[in-house]
Amino acid sequence: MKANITVKLSASILIDIIAVLFIIFLGDIAQFFAYPVYELDPMRMMVMLAIAFTPRWNGFLLALLLPFVSFYMGAHPHLVKTSLMAMELIVNVGLFWFLFNKTNMSLLAMLLSIMFSKGVYYLLKYVCLQLDYLSGDLISTPLDLQVITTISFSLFVFIVFLIYGKPKRK
């Protein structure tokens, strides 16, 4: 029992360190590949890894932590957008676990939770744009790429849950 807790905590810490370092060096990674890597939704990618491989609480931790690490370490994005991103990811994680508990279908739960959290994000971003808290476009990442990442992340979680079994409630 104690060894099992230690392994899970070690996996959580390792994924958290990788996620934080990935977000810190995201600008350098984008320059290296000469591609705007942020369009691939890297924060959600890290949160999906946490959902798939660590206890439930860790997904919430990363959903809150990663946007603010990005803001404090790279001064990007704007604090209002950082807050919106954190809210979006927290809604994503919370709604996923809620739907998964109700349906026991990870693919459906992830698809719906991502779509709903994006809807919340864009609604709040629209309000912030109208109130001049933010500037720029409502949608900065192409919609087709958002559909591809949504399906990819959902399939990833589905396959992990299929292979490793469904997680126990924690």
Side-chain angles (χ1 to χ4, degrees):
M1 175 73 171
K2 186 176 181 181
N4 193 20
I5 292 171
T6 304
V7 169
K8 287 186 181 196
L9 190 57
S10 298
S12 298
I13 291 170
L14 180 62
I15 286 178
D16 291 354
I17 290 169
I18 290 169
V20 168
L21 289 173
F22 183 69
I23 296 304
I24 288 172
F25 293 109
L26 191 60
D28 296 326
I29 294 168
Q31 285 181 343
F32 178 77
F33 289 110
Y35 182 80
V37 180
Y38 67 87
E39 288 186 348
L40 299 176
D41 211 350
M43 289 186 202
R44 189 179 318 276
M45 185 185 310
M46 296 296 112
V47 171
M48 294 302 110
L49 285 172
I51 286 173
F53 296 111
T54 66
R56 294 179 184 207
W57 59 266
N58 199 46
F60 287 105
L61 176 68
L62 283 180
L64 181 63
L65 180 68
L66 293 179
F68 289 100
V69 165
S70 177
F71 174 75
Y72 287 114
M73 298 301 284
H76 181 75
H78 187 278
L79 185 58
V80 173
K81 189 170 181 184
T82 298
S83 300
L84 291 176
M85 291 166 63
M87 282 188 281
E88 175 191 7
L89 292 173
I90 289 169
V91 167
N92 187 177
V93 174
L95 188 57
F96 169 75
W97 286 119
F98 174 79
L99 292 172
F100 182 72
N101 287 339
K102 296 294 182 192
T103 65
N104 213 23
M105 298 179 357
S106 59
L107 182 61
L108 179 65
M110 189 54 72
L111 281 170
L112 291 175
S113 67
I114 291 174
M115 289 188 301
F116 184 81
S117 66
K118 284 184 176 289
V120 169
Y121 170 79
Y122 284 120
L123 175 66
L124 293 174
K125 186 175 179 184
Y126 176 78
V127 169
C128 289
L129 286 168
Q130 295 303 309
L131 296 173
D132 285 331
Y133 292 145
L134 287 174
S135 60
D137 297 326
L138 177 62
I139 299 174
S140 54
T141 302
L143 288 175
D144 57 343
L145 192 54
Q146 290 187 48
V147 169
I148 291 168
T149 57
T150 297
I151 292 170
S152 300
F153 295 156
S154 299
L155 285 172
F156 170 75
V157 170
F158 171 73
I159 291 168
V160 169
F161 281 20
L162 191 66
I163 292 171
Y164 293 106
K166 295 180 169 84
K168 293 181 177 79
R169 186 166 180 84
K170 295 175 183 139

CSV table of all heavy atoms in Angstrom, one decimal, residues 27-83:
chain,number,residue,atom,x,y,z
A,27,GLY,N,8.2,28.7,-25.6
A,27,GLY,CA,8.7,29.7,-26.6
A,27,GLY,C,9.9,29.2,-27.3
A,27,GLY,O,10.0,29.3,-28.5
A,28,ASP,N,10.8,28.6,-26.6
A,28,ASP,CA,12.0,28.1,-27.2
A,28,ASP,C,11.7,26.9,-28.1
A,28,ASP,O,12.3,26.7,-29.2
A,28,ASP,CB,13.0,27.7,-26.1
A,28,ASP,CG,13.5,28.9,-25.3
A,28,ASP,OD1,13.7,30.0,-25.9
A,28,ASP,OD2,13.8,28.7,-24.1
A,29,ILE,N,10.8,26.1,-27.6
A,29,ILE,CA,10.4,24.9,-28.4
A,29,ILE,C,9.7,25.4,-29.7
A,29,ILE,O,10.0,24.8,-30.8
A,29,ILE,CB,9.4,24.0,-27.6
A,29,ILE,CG1,10.1,23.4,-26.4
A,29,ILE,CG2,8.8,22.9,-28.5
A,29,ILE,CD1,9.2,22.7,-25.4
A,30,ALA,N,8.9,26.4,-29.6
A,30,ALA,CA,8.2,27.0,-30.8
A,30,ALA,C,9.3,27.5,-31.8
A,30,ALA,O,9.1,27.3,-33.0
A,30,ALA,CB,7.2,28.0,-30.4
A,31,GLN,N,10.3,28.2,-31.3
A,31,GLN,CA,11.3,28.7,-32.2
A,31,GLN,C,12.1,27.6,-32.8
A,31,GLN,O,12.5,27.7,-34.0
A,31,GLN,CB,12.3,29.6,-31.4
A,31,GLN,CG,11.7,31.0,-31.1
A,31,GLN,CD,12.6,31.9,-30.3
A,31,GLN,OE1,13.6,31.4,-29.8
A,31,GLN,NE2,12.3,33.2,-30.3
A,32,PHE,N,12.4,26.6,-32.1
A,32,PHE,CA,13.2,25.4,-32.6
A,32,PHE,C,12.5,24.8,-33.7
A,32,PHE,O,13.1,24.4,-34.7
A,32,PHE,CB,13.5,24.4,-31.4
A,32,PHE,CG,14.2,23.2,-31.9
A,32,PHE,CD1,15.6,23.3,-32.1
A,32,PHE,CD2,13.5,22.0,-32.1
A,32,PHE,CE1,16.3,22.1,-32.6
A,32,PHE,CE2,14.2,20.9,-32.5
A,32,PHE,CZ,15.6,20.9,-32.8
A,33,PHE,N,11.2,24.5,-33.6
A,33,PHE,CA,10.4,23.9,-34.6
A,33,PHE,C,9.8,24.9,-35.7
A,33,PHE,O,9.2,24.4,-36.6
A,33,PHE,CB,9.2,23.1,-34.0
A,33,PHE,CG,9.7,21.8,-33.3
A,33,PHE,CD1,9.6,21.8,-31.9
A,33,PHE,CD2,10.2,20.8,-34.0
A,33,PHE,CE1,10.0,20.6,-31.2
A,33,PHE,CE2,10.6,19.6,-33.3
A,33,PHE,CZ,10.5,19.6,-31.9
A,34,ALA,N,10.0,26.1,-35.4
A,34,ALA,CA,9.5,27.2,-36.3
A,34,ALA,C,8.0,27.0,-36.6
A,34,ALA,O,7.5,27.1,-37.7
A,34,ALA,CB,10.3,27.2,-37.6
A,35,TYR,N,7.3,26.7,-35.5
A,35,TYR,CA,5.9,26.5,-35.5
A,35,TYR,C,5.3,27.0,-34.2
A,35,TYR,O,5.8,26.8,-33.2
A,35,TYR,CB,5.5,25.0,-35.7
A,35,TYR,CG,4.1,24.7,-35.8
A,35,TYR,CD1,3.4,24.9,-37.0
A,35,TYR,CD2,3.3,24.3,-34.7
A,35,TYR,CE1,2.1,24.7,-37.1
A,35,TYR,CE2,2.0,24.1,-34.8
A,35,TYR,CZ,1.3,24.3,-36.0
A,35,TYR,OH,0.0,24.1,-36.2
A,36,PRO,N,4.1,27.7,-34.3
A,36,PRO,CA,3.5,28.2,-33.1
A,36,PRO,C,2.9,27.0,-32.3
A,36,PRO,O,1.7,26.7,-32.4
A,36,PRO,CB,2.4,29.2,-33.6
A,36,PRO,CG,2.1,28.7,-35.0
A,36,PRO,CD,3.4,28.1,-35.5
A,37,VAL,N,3.7,26.4,-31.5
A,37,VAL,CA,3.3,25.2,-30.7
A,37,VAL,C,2.1,25.5,-29.8
A,37,VAL,O,1.3,24.6,-29.6
A,37,VAL,CB,4.5,24.7,-29.9
A,37,VAL,CG1,4.1,23.4,-29.1
A,37,VAL,CG2,5.7,24.4,-30.8
A,38,TYR,N,1.9,26.7,-29.4
A,38,TYR,CA,0.7,27.0,-28.6
A,38,TYR,C,-0.6,26.7,-29.3
A,38,TYR,O,-1.6,26.5,-28.6
A,38,TYR,CB,0.7,28.5,-28.2
A,38,TYR,CG,0.5,29.5,-29.3
A,38,TYR,CD1,-0.8,29.8,-29.7
A,38,TYR,CD2,1.6,30.0,-30.1
A,38,TYR,CE1,-1.0,30.7,-30.8
A,38,TYR,CE2,1.4,30.8,-31.1
A,38,TYR,CZ,0.1,31.2,-31.5
A,38,TYR,OH,-0.2,32.0,-32.6
A,39,GLU,N,-0.6,26.6,-30.6
A,39,GLU,CA,-1.8,26.3,-31.3
A,39,GLU,C,-2.2,24.8,-31.1
A,39,GLU,O,-3.4,24.4,-31.3
A,39,GLU,CB,-1.7,26.5,-32.8
A,39,GLU,CG,-1.6,28.0,-33.2
A,39,GLU,CD,-1.6,28.2,-34.7
A,39,GLU,OE1,-1.4,27.2,-35.5
A,39,GLU,OE2,-1.8,29.3,-35.1
A,40,LEU,N,-1.3,24.0,-30.6
A,40,LEU,CA,-1.6,22.6,-30.3
A,40,LEU,C,-2.1,22.4,-28.9
A,40,LEU,O,-2.3,21.3,-28.4
A,40,LEU,CB,-0.3,21.7,-30.5
A,40,LEU,CG,0.2,21.8,-31.9
A,40,LEU,CD1,1.5,21.0,-32.0
A,40,LEU,CD2,-0.8,21.3,-32.9
A,41,ASP,N,-2.4,23.5,-28.2
A,41,ASP,CA,-3.0,23.4,-26.9
A,41,ASP,C,-2.2,22.7,-25.9
A,41,ASP,O,-2.6,21.7,-25.3
A,41,ASP,CB,-4.4,22.8,-27.0
A,41,ASP,CG,-5.4,23.4,-25.9
A,41,ASP,OD1,-4.9,24.1,-25.0
A,41,ASP,OD2,-6.6,23.1,-26.0
A,42,PRO,N,-0.9,23.2,-25.7
A,42,PRO,CA,0.0,22.4,-24.8
A,42,PRO,C,-0.4,22.3,-23.4
A,42,PRO,O,-0.1,21.3,-22.7
A,42,PRO,CB,1.3,23.2,-25.0
A,42,PRO,CG,0.9,24.6,-25.4
A,42,PRO,CD,-0.3,24.4,-26.2
A,43,MET,N,-1.1,23.3,-22.8
A,43,MET,CA,-1.5,23.2,-21.4
A,43,MET,C,-2.6,22.1,-21.3
A,43,MET,O,-2.5,21.3,-20.3
A,43,MET,CB,-2.1,24.5,-20.9
A,43,MET,CG,-1.0,25.6,-20.8
A,43,MET,SD,-1.6,27.1,-20.0
A,43,MET,CE,-0.4,28.2,-20.6
A,44,ARG,N,-3.5,22.0,-22.2
A,44,ARG,CA,-4.5,21.0,-22.1
A,44,ARG,C,-3.8,19.6,-22.3
A,44,ARG,O,-4.2,18.6,-21.7
A,44,ARG,CB,-5.6,21.2,-23.2
A,44,ARG,CG,-6.8,20.2,-23.0
A,44,ARG,CD,-7.9,20.4,-24.0
A,44,ARG,NE,-8.2,21.7,-24.3
A,44,ARG,CZ,-9.1,22.5,-23.5
A,44,ARG,NH1,-9.6,22.0,-22.5
A,44,ARG,NH2,-9.4,23.7,-23.9
A,45,MET,N,-2.8,19.6,-23.2
A,45,MET,CA,-2.1,18.3,-23.4
A,45,MET,C,-1.5,17.8,-22.1
A,45,MET,O,-1.5,16.6,-21.8
A,45,MET,CB,-1.0,18.6,-24.5
A,45,MET,CG,-0.2,17.4,-24.9
A,45,MET,SD,1.2,17.8,-26.0
A,45,MET,CE,0.4,18.8,-27.2
A,46,MET,N,-0.9,18.7,-21.3
A,46,MET,CA,-0.3,18.3,-20.1
A,46,MET,C,-1.3,17.9,-19.1
A,46,MET,O,-1.2,17.0,-18.3
A,46,MET,CB,0.6,19.5,-19.5
A,46,MET,CG,1.8,19.9,-20.3
A,46,MET,SD,3.0,18.6,-20.5
A,46,MET,CE,2.8,18.1,-22.2
A,47,VAL,N,-2.5,18.6,-19.1
A,47,VAL,CA,-3.6,18.2,-18.2
A,47,VAL,C,-4.1,16.9,-18.6
A,47,VAL,O,-4.5,16.1,-17.7
A,47,VAL,CB,-4.7,19.3,-18.2
A,47,VAL,CG1,-5.9,18.9,-17.5
A,47,VAL,CG2,-4.1,20.6,-17.6
A,48,MET,N,-4.2,16.6,-19.9
A,48,MET,CA,-4.6,15.2,-20.3
A,48,MET,C,-3.7,14.1,-19.8
A,48,MET,O,-4.1,13.1,-19.4
A,48,MET,CB,-4.7,15.2,-21.8
A,48,MET,CG,-5.8,16.0,-22.5
A,48,MET,SD,-7.4,15.7,-21.9
A,48,MET,CE,-7.7,17.3,-21.0
A,49,LEU,N,-2.4,14.4,-19.9
A,49,LEU,CA,-1.4,13.4,-19.3
A,49,LEU,C,-1.7,13.2,-17.8
A,49,LEU,O,-1.7,12.1,-17.3
A,49,LEU,CB,0.0,13.9,-19.5
A,49,LEU,CG,0.6,13.8,-20.9
A,49,LEU,CD1,1.9,14.5,-21.0
A,49,LEU,CD2,0.7,12.4,-21.3
A,50,ALA,N,-2.0,14.3,-17.1
A,50,ALA,CA,-2.3,14.1,-15.7
A,50,ALA,C,-3.6,13.3,-15.5
A,50,ALA,O,-3.6,12.5,-14.6
A,50,ALA,CB,-2.4,15.5,-15.0
A,51,ILE,N,-4.6,13.6,-16.2
A,51,ILE,CA,-5.8,12.9,-16.1
A,51,ILE,C,-5.6,11.4,-16.4
A,51,ILE,O,-6.1,10.5,-15.7
A,51,ILE,CB,-6.9,13.4,-17.1
A,51,ILE,CG1,-7.4,14.8,-16.5
A,51,ILE,CG2,-8.1,12.5,-17.3
A,51,ILE,CD1,-8.4,15.5,-17.4
A,52,ALA,N,-4.8,11.1,-17.4
A,52,ALA,CA,-4.6,9.7,-17.8
A,52,ALA,C,-3.7,8.9,-16.8
A,52,ALA,O,-3.9,7.7,-16.7
A,52,ALA,CB,-4.0,9.7,-19.2
A,53,PHE,N,-2.7,9.6,-16.2
A,53,PHE,CA,-1.7,8.8,-15.5
A,53,PHE,C,-1.6,9.1,-14.0
A,53,PHE,O,-0.7,8.5,-13.4
A,53,PHE,CB,-0.4,8.9,-16.2
A,53,PHE,CG,-0.4,8.4,-17.6
A,53,PHE,CD1,-0.3,9.2,-18.7
A,53,PHE,CD2,-0.5,7.0,-17.8
A,53,PHE,CE1,-0.2,8.7,-20.0
A,53,PHE,CE2,-0.4,6.5,-19.0
A,53,PHE,CZ,-0.3,7.3,-20.1
A,54,THR,N,-2.3,10.1,-13.5
A,54,THR,CA,-2.1,10.5,-12.1
A,54,THR,C,-3.4,10.6,-11.4
A,54,THR,O,-4.5,10.5,-12.0
A,54,THR,CB,-1.3,11.8,-12.0
A,54,THR,OG1,-2.2,12.9,-12.5
A,54,THR,CG2,0.0,11.8,-12.7
A,55,PRO,N,-3.4,10.7,-10.1
A,55,PRO,CA,-4.7,10.8,-9.3
A,55,PRO,C,-5.5,12.1,-9.8
A,55,PRO,O,-4.9,13.0,-10.3
A,55,PRO,CB,-4.2,11.0,-7.9
A,55,PRO,CG,-2.9,10.4,-7.8
A,55,PRO,CD,-2.2,10.6,-9.2
A,56,ARG,N,-6.7,12.0,-9.6
A,56,ARG,CA,-7.7,13.1,-10.1
A,56,ARG,C,-7.3,14.5,-9.6
A,56,ARG,O,-7.4,15.4,-10.4
A,56,ARG,CB,-9.1,12.8,-9.6
A,56,ARG,CG,-9.6,11.5,-10.2
A,56,ARG,CD,-11.0,11.2,-9.8
A,56,ARG,NE,-11.5,10.0,-10.3
A,56,ARG,CZ,-12.7,9.6,-10.6
A,56,ARG,NH1,-13.7,10.5,-10.3
A,56,ARG,NH2,-13.0,8.5,-11.1
A,57,TRP,N,-6.8,14.6,-8.4
A,57,TRP,CA,-6.5,15.9,-7.9
A,57,TRP,C,-5.4,16.6,-8.7
A,57,TRP,O,-5.3,17.8,-8.8
A,57,TRP,CB,-6.1,15.9,-6.4
A,57,TRP,CG,-4.9,15.0,-6.1
A,57,TRP,CD1,-5.0,13.7,-5.7
A,57,TRP,CD2,-3.5,15.3,-6.2
A,57,TRP,NE1,-3.7,13.2,-5.6
A,57,TRP,CE2,-2.8,14.2,-5.8
A,57,TRP,CE3,-2.8,16.5,-6.5
A,57,TRP,CZ2,-1.4,14.1,-5.8
A,57,TRP,CZ3,-1.4,16.4,-6.5
A,57,TRP,CH2,-0.7,15.3,-6.1
A,58,ASN,N,-4.5,15.8,-9.3
A,58,ASN,CA,-3.3,16.4,-10.0
A,58,ASN,C,-3.8,17.1,-11.3
A,58,ASN,O,-3.2,18.1,-11.7
A,58,ASN,CB,-2.3,15.3,-10.3
A,58,ASN,CG,-1.0,15.8,-10.7
A,58,ASN,OD1,-0.5,16.7,-9.9
A,58,ASN,ND2,-0.4,15.4,-11.7
A,59,GLY,N,-4.8,16.6,-11.9
A,59,GLY,CA,-5.4,17.3,-13.1
A,59,GLY,C,-5.8,18.7,-12.7
A,59,GLY,O,-5.6,19.7,-13.5
A,60,PHE,N,-6.5,18.8,-11.6
A,60,PHE,CA,-6.9,20.1,-11.1
A,60,PHE,C,-5.8,21.0,-10.8
A,60,PHE,O,-5.8,22.2,-11.1
A,60,PHE,CB,-7.8,20.0,-9.9
A,60,PHE,CG,-9.2,19.5,-10.2
A,60,PHE,CD1,-9.5,18.2,-9.9
A,60,PHE,CD2,-10.2,20.3,-10.8
A,60,PHE,CE1,-10.8,17.7,-10.1
A,60,PHE,CE2,-11.4,19.8,-11.0
A,60,PHE,CZ,-11.7,18.5,-10.7
A,61,LEU,N,-4.7,20.5,-10.2
A,61,LEU,CA,-3.6,21.2,-9.8
A,61,LEU,C,-2.9,21.8,-11.0
A,61,LEU,O,-2.6,23.0,-11.1
A,61,LEU,CB,-2.6,20.3,-9.0
A,61,LEU,CG,-1.2,21.0,-8.7
A,61,LEU,CD1,-1.4,22.1,-7.7
A,61,LEU,CD2,-0.3,19.9,-8.2
A,62,LEU,N,-2.7,21.0,-12.1
A,62,LEU,CA,-2.0,21.5,-13.3
A,62,LEU,C,-2.9,22.5,-14.0
A,62,LEU,O,-2.4,23.4,-14.6
A,62,LEU,CB,-1.6,20.3,-14.2
A,62,LEU,CG,-0.4,19.5,-13.8
A,62,LEU,CD1,-0.2,18.4,-14.8
A,62,LEU,CD2,0.8,20.4,-13.7
A,63,ALA,N,-4.2,22.2,-14.0
A,63,ALA,CA,-5.1,23.2,-14.7
A,63,ALA,C,-5.0,24.6,-14.1
A,63,ALA,O,-5.1,25.6,-14.8
A,63,ALA,CB,-6.6,22.7,-14.6
A,64,LEU,N,-4.8,24.6,-12.8
A,64,LEU,CA,-4.6,25.9,-12.2
A,64,LEU,C,-3.2,26.5,-12.3
A,64,LEU,O,-3.0,27.6,-12.6
A,64,LEU,CB,-5.0,25.8,-10.7
A,64,LEU,CG,-4.9,27.1,-9.9
A,64,LEU,CD1,-5.9,28.1,-10.4
A,64,LEU,CD2,-5.2,26.8,-8.4
A,65,LEU,N,-2.3,25.6,-12.2
A,65,LEU,CA,-0.8,26.0,-12.1
A,65,LEU,C,-0.3,26.4,-13.5
A,65,LEU,O,0.4,27.5,-13.5
A,65,LEU,CB,0.0,24.8,-11.6
A,65,LEU,CG,1.5,25.0,-11.4
A,65,LEU,CD1,1.7,26.0,-10.3
A,65,LEU,CD2,2.2,23.7,-11.1
A,66,LEU,N,-0.5,25.7,-14.5
A,66,LEU,CA,0.2,25.9,-15.8
A,66,LEU,C,-0.1,27.3,-16.4
A,66,LEU,O,0.9,27.9,-16.8
A,66,LEU,CB,-0.2,24.8,-16.8
A,66,LEU,CG,0.4,23.4,-16.4
A,66,LEU,CD1,0.0,22.4,-17.5
A,66,LEU,CD2,1.9,23.5,-16.3
A,67,PRO,N,-1.3,27.8,-16.4
A,67,PRO,CA,-1.5,29.1,-17.0
A,67,PRO,C,-0.7,30.2,-16.2
A,67,PRO,O,-0.2,31.1,-16.8
A,67,PRO,CB,-3.0,29.4,-16.9
A,67,PRO,CG,-3.6,28.0,-16.9
A,67,PRO,CD,-2.6,27.1,-16.2
A,68,PHE,N,-0.7,30.1,-14.9
A,68,PHE,CA,0.0,31.1,-14.1
A,68,PHE,C,1.5,30.9,-14.1
A,68,PHE,O,2.2,31.9,-14.1
A,68,PHE,CB,-0.6,31.1,-12.6
A,68,PHE,CG,-2.0,31.6,-12.6
A,68,PHE,CD1,-3.1,30.7,-12.5
A,68,PHE,CD2,-2.2,33.0,-12.7
A,68,PHE,CE1,-4.4,31.2,-12.5
A,68,PHE,CE2,-3.5,33.5,-12.6
A,68,PHE,CZ,-4.6,32.6,-12.6
A,69,VAL,N,2.0,29.7,-14.3
A,69,VAL,CA,3.4,29.5,-14.5
A,69,VAL,C,3.8,30.2,-15.8
A,69,VAL,O,4.8,30.9,-15.9
A,69,VAL,CB,3.8,28.0,-14.6
A,69,VAL,CG1,5.2,27.8,-15.2
A,69,VAL,CG2,3.7,27.4,-13.2
A,70,SER,N,3.0,30.0,-16.9
A,70,SER,CA,3.2,30.7,-18.2
A,70,SER,C,3.3,32.2,-18.0
A,70,SER,O,4.1,32.9,-18.6
A,70,SER,CB,2.2,30.3,-19.2
A,70,SER,OG,2.4,30.9,-20.4
A,71,PHE,N,2.3,32.7,-17.2
A,71,PHE,CA,2.2,34.2,-17.0
A,71,PHE,C,3.4,34.7,-16.2
A,71,PHE,O,4.1,35.7,-16.6
A,71,PHE,CB,0.9,34.6,-16.3
A,71,PHE,CG,0.9,36.0,-16.0
A,71,PHE,CD1,0.6,36.9,-16.9
A,71,PHE,CD2,1.1,36.4,-14.7
A,71,PHE,CE1,0.5,38.3,-16.6
A,71,PHE,CE2,1.0,37.8,-14.3
A,71,PHE,CZ,0.7,38.7,-15.3
A,72,TYR,N,3.8,34.1,-15.1
A,72,TYR,CA,4.8,34.6,-14.3
A,72,TYR,C,6.2,34.3,-14.8
A,72,TYR,O,7.1,35.1,-14.6
A,72,TYR,CB,4.7,34.0,-12.9
A,72,TYR,CG,3.6,34.6,-12.1
A,72,TYR,CD1,2.5,33.8,-11.7
A,72,TYR,CD2,3.6,35.9,-11.8
A,72,TYR,CE1,1.4,34.4,-11.1
A,72,TYR,CE2,2.5,36.5,-11.1
A,72,TYR,CZ,1.4,35.7,-10.8
A,72,TYR,OH,0.4,36.3,-10.1
A,73,MET,N,6.4,33.2,-15.6
A,73,MET,CA,7.7,32.9,-16.1
A,73,MET,C,8.0,33.6,-17.5
A,73,MET,O,9.1,33.9,-17.8
A,73,MET,CB,7.9,31.4,-16.2
A,73,MET,CG,7.9,30.7,-14.9
A,73,MET,SD,9.1,31.2,-13.7
A,73,MET,CE,10.5,30.5,-14.3
A,74,GLY,N,6.9,33.7,-18.2
A,74,GLY,CA,7.1,34.3,-19.6
A,74,GLY,C,6.3,35.6,-19.8
A,74,GLY,O,6.4,36.1,-20.9
A,75,ALA,N,5.6,36.0,-18.8
A,75,ALA,CA,4.8,37.3,-18.9
A,75,ALA,C,3.8,37.2,-20.1
A,75,ALA,O,3.5,38.2,-20.8
A,75,ALA,CB,5.7,38.5,-19.1
A,76,HIS,N,3.4,36.0,-20.4
A,76,HIS,CA,2.5,35.8,-21.5
A,76,HIS,C,1.5,34.6,-21.1
A,76,HIS,O,2.0,33.6,-20.5
A,76,HIS,CB,3.2,35.4,-22.8
A,76,HIS,CG,2.3,35.2,-23.9
A,76,HIS,ND1,1.6,36.2,-24.6
A,76,HIS,CD2,1.8,34.1,-24.5
A,76,HIS,CE1,0.9,35.7,-25.5
A,76,HIS,NE2,0.9,34.4,-25.5
A,77,PRO,N,0.3,34.7,-21.3
A,77,PRO,CA,-0.5,35.8,-21.9
A,77,PRO,C,-0.8,36.8,-20.8
A,77,PRO,O,-0.4,36.7,-19.7
A,77,PRO,CB,-1.7,35.1,-22.4
A,77,PRO,CG,-1.9,33.9,-21.6
A,77,PRO,CD,-0.5,33.5,-21.2
A,78,HIS,N,-1.7,37.8,-21.2
A,78,HIS,CA,-2.2,38.8,-20.3
A,78,HIS,C,-2.8,38.1,-19.1
A,78,HIS,O,-3.4,37.0,-19.2
A,78,HIS,CB,-3.2,39.6,-21.1
A,78,HIS,CG,-3.7,40.8,-20.4
A,78,HIS,ND1,-4.7,40.8,-19.5
A,78,HIS,CD2,-3.3,42.1,-20.4
A,78,HIS,CE1,-4.9,42.0,-19.0
A,78,HIS,NE2,-4.1,42.8,-19.6
A,79,LEU,N,-2.8,38.7,-18.0
A,79,LEU,CA,-3.3,38.1,-16.7
A,79,LEU,C,-4.8,37.8,-16.9
A,79,LEU,O,-5.2,36.7,-16.4
A,79,LEU,CB,-3.1,39.1,-15.5
A,79,LEU,CG,-3.5,38.5,-14.2
A,79,LEU,CD1,-2.8,37.2,-13.9
A,79,LEU,CD2,-3.3,39.5,-13.1
A,80,VAL,N,-5.6,38.6,-17.6
A,80,VAL,CA,-7.0,38.2,-17.8
A,80,VAL,C,-7.1,37.0,-18.6
A,80,VAL,O,-7.9,36.1,-18.2
A,80,VAL,CB,-7.8,39.4,-18.4
A,80,VAL,CG1,-9.2,39.0,-18.8
A,80,VAL,CG2,-7.8,40.6,-17.5
A,81,LYS,N,-6.4,36.9,-19.7
A,81,LYS,CA,-6.4,35.6,-20.5
A,81,LYS,C,-5.9,34.4,-19.7
A,81,LYS,O,-6.4,33.3,-19.9
A,81,LYS,CB,-5.6,35.8,-21.8
A,81,LYS,CG,-5.9,34.7,-22.8
A,81,LYS,CD,-5.3,35.0,-24.1
A,81,LYS,CE,-5.6,33.8,-25.0
A,81,LYS,NZ,-5.0,34.0,-26.3
A,82,THR,N,-4.9,34.7,-18.9
A,82,THR,CA,-4.3,33.6,-18.1
A,82,THR,C,-5.4,33.1,-17.1
A,82,THR,O,-5.6,31.8,-17.0
A,82,THR,CB,-3.2,34.1,-17.2
A,82,THR,OG1,-2.1,34.5,-18.1
A,82,THR,CG2,-2.6,33.1,-16.2
A,83,SER,N,-6.2,34.0,-16.5
A,83,SER,CA,-7.3,33.5,-15.7
A,83,SER,C,-8.4,32.8,-16.4
A,83,SER,O,-8.9,31.8,-15.9
A,83,SER,CB,-7.9,34.8,-15.0
A,83,SER,OG,-6.9,35.4,-14.2
